[in-house]
Amino acid sequence: AQKAVLSTDAIEAELRDGPLALTPLQATFVALPGSLDRFHQAVAVRPPRGTSFAAVLRALQRLMEIHDSLRLRLIAAAGDQPARLWLDPFDPTRLALEDFDQLEPAHLSEDMRQDHFARLARQLPQQLDPQAGRMVAGLFGHDAEGPRLVLAIHHLAVDGVSWRVLLEDLAQ
């Protein structure tokens, strides 16, 4: 009898990219009528003082590299093919992170800046697109209290339990 032997690299490569079946819960979710784009979870955090946009960008890119769910892409059902997920390799263009400090005119009052930040944060879910593989959107900026970050992640990629893990990894 001949044994097939796969190297660890081949196994890891197979696990990194490719098709994934939907879980029963995800299949129910995907079968809901209407657009899935509206389903997300969001969190606001205060990074340590001195945190820059570049540091947040690097941290979020690293998070996307190590957490497969953030690199998922939804492939809609077609014909006799059911909907499924595809795990893509890391692609930095799939992270929608905006630098509020570069968007917002500095001459605005603090109240106006707060209002504008809140308005932009509420628009983050509109940047999510599971069929394009865009599962993460964020807004980073500074206010009188220091840096702040709002993240929106599509519900196909995150749930209440996984936020704790993601935020712990993001903090490192």
Side-chain angles (χ1 to χ4, degrees):
Q2 189 176 6
K3 291 183 180 179
V5 178
L6 291 176
S7 73
T8 303
D9 290 341
I11 293 170
E12 287 178 2
E14 184 176 326
L15 294 175
R16 278 196 297 257
D17 330 323
L20 299 169
L22 294 168
T23 66
L25 184 60
Q26 288 171 326
T28 301
F29 181 68
V30 168
L32 293 172
S35 172
L36 293 178
D37 295 350
R38 67 186 186 276
F39 295 105
H40 71 282
Q41 293 188 351
V43 66
V45 295
R46 286 278 181 187
R49 284 199 178 276
T51 301
S52 67
F53 176 80
V56 169
L57 179 61
R58 282 191 306 273
L60 287 173
Q61 288 175 338
R62 178 70 181 136
L63 203 65
M64 289 180 70
E65 287 181 77
I66 63 176
H67 289 282
D68 294 346
S69 67
L70 303 179
R71 297 190 321 274
L72 292 174
R73 181 169 36 96
L74 177 65
I75 299 173
D80 63 345
Q81 289 290 322
R84 64 193 183 283
L85 294 171
W86 191 272
L87 179 58
D88 286 324
F90 171 68
D91 177 356
T93 65
R94 295 227 180 123
L95 171 61
L97 180 64
E98 294 187 60
D99 186 350
F100 180 75
D101 298 334
Q102 296 300 313
L103 299 172
E104 186 59 34
H107 69 275
L108 294 180
S109 70
E110 185 63 24
D111 286 344
M112 291 176 76
R113 286 177 54 84
Q114 293 283 357
D115 289 345
H116 195 137
F117 189 92
R119 189 170 36 260
L120 291 174
R122 284 190 301 273
Q123 294 172 0
L124 286 176
Q126 296 170 10
Q127 297 179 39
L128 302 176
D129 182 355
Q131 290 186 334
R134 180 161 285 159
M135 296 291 196
V136 181
L139 178 65
F140 175 80
H142 291 82
D143 63 12
E145 296 177 35
R148 57 189 171 165
L149 173 66
V150 177
L151 287 176
I153 300 179
H154 196 277
H155 200 27
L156 282 170
V158 73
D159 60 23
V161 174
S162 55
W163 269 116
R164 181 181 47 82
V165 175
L166 291 173
L167 291 175
E168 285 175 7
D169 288 349
L170 183 61
Q172 296 180 22

